[in-house]
Amino acid sequence: MAPEQFPTPSVPEIAFLGRSNVGKSSLLNALVGEKAAKVSSTPGRTRAINFFLLPDQSQRPKLVFADLPGYGYAKISKSISAEWPKFIEPYLLERETLRLCVCLVDSNVPPQQRDGQLIEWLRHAGRELVVVATKIDRLSGNVRTKNLAALRKGLEIEDILPVSAKTGAGIGELWKRIEEQGPGTRD
């Protein structure tokens, strides 16, 4: 995929980023209420940016969700992962309709260096972002509190939104954050 292959920018775009197997496809499906994104049992299947157009009630384009390839999965060949920056960086740096980057982290996994690097890179690039802790349905109350605190500290971020694609917990709050970005062009 090359930047020339991206759809023509027209409506606000929300990018979903995270390690392979973090639950991006499941979360996208929970947000749109259908099986738009393919959920694979093999991590690292997404190898291009997948764009999902979400229409408003009148079927006019309202938002675009951009599902970016996962990172950090060891079984992906180095030749494929070496190609990713050629289209991911231009998208994240130059896409004028990109309003929000949704950075997914697994609430069951301690803070990961690659996640911290992504958050820092997006901050440096001046991108709006929200960090979402996925799979919270797998944790009891005390463990959830402990894991979220560890993620906040390890990723050096105050606000982490816990969600579960399975139970729907946090989906409404995530929609609220997405809708706060609204239409218009990025300054």
Side-chain angles (χ1 to χ4, degrees):
M1 174 171 264
E4 305 81 55
Q5 295 173 298
F6 297 161
T8 303
S10 61
V11 296
E13 294 179 12
I14 311 300
F16 291 80
L17 307 99
R19 288 181 303 106
S20 296
N21 208 27
V22 75
K24 280 195 312 297
S25 297
S26 296
L27 180 62
L28 284 163
N29 290 335
L31 285 166
V32 300
E34 60 185 66
K35 300 283 185 207
K38 184 174 183 325
V39 178
S40 174
S41 59
T42 307
R45 284 282 184 221
T46 304
R47 301 222 170 117
I49 300 175
N50 292 314
F51 294 92
F52 300 94
L53 179 64
L54 282 76
D56 64 14
Q57 291 85 357
S58 304
Q59 297 305 305
R60 290 185 303 249
K62 176 184 172 184
L63 273 177
V64 169
F65 283 173
D67 179 10
L68 278 71
Y71 54 85
Y73 190 67
K75 291 187 179 181
I76 295 174
S77 78
K78 294 208 184 304
S79 64
I80 293 169
S81 61
E83 292 294 312
W84 288 349
K86 293 178 184 170
F87 64 91
I88 292 175
E89 280 192 27
Y91 177 76
L92 293 173
L93 284 174
E94 301 164 13
R95 190 72 169 178
E96 62 269 17
T97 49
L98 179 57
R99 294 288 181 280
L100 180 67
C101 294
V102 179
C103 301
L104 305 176
V105 297
D106 189 330
S107 64
N108 297 273
V109 176
Q112 301 292 300
Q113 182 179 359
R114 303 270 321 255
D115 294 331
Q117 289 170 337
L118 172 66
I119 292 165
E120 186 55 38
W121 190 91
L122 290 169
R123 284 177 174 154
H124 187 261
R127 287 297 184 183
E128 284 290 322
L129 66 104
V130 59
V131 177
V132 171
T134 61
K135 306 178 186 179
I136 61 157
D137 54 281
R138 298 181 181 179
L139 304 172
S140 67
N142 288 340
V143 175
R144 180 182 308 154
T145 300
K146 180 181 160 204
N147 285 15
L148 290 173
L151 287 168
R152 284 185 190 96
K153 182 178 180 183
L155 298 174
E156 299 178 10
I157 189 137
E158 287 297 315
D159 187 25
I160 294 181
L161 177 61
V163 301
S164 168
K166 186 176 181 178
T167 67
I171 298 295
E173 178 62 26
L174 181 53
W175 262 117
K176 182 179 169 196
R177 305 260 183 114
I178 290 168
E179 290 171 347
E180 285 172 358
Q181 298 310 309
T185 55
R186 183 173 176 244
D187 298 329

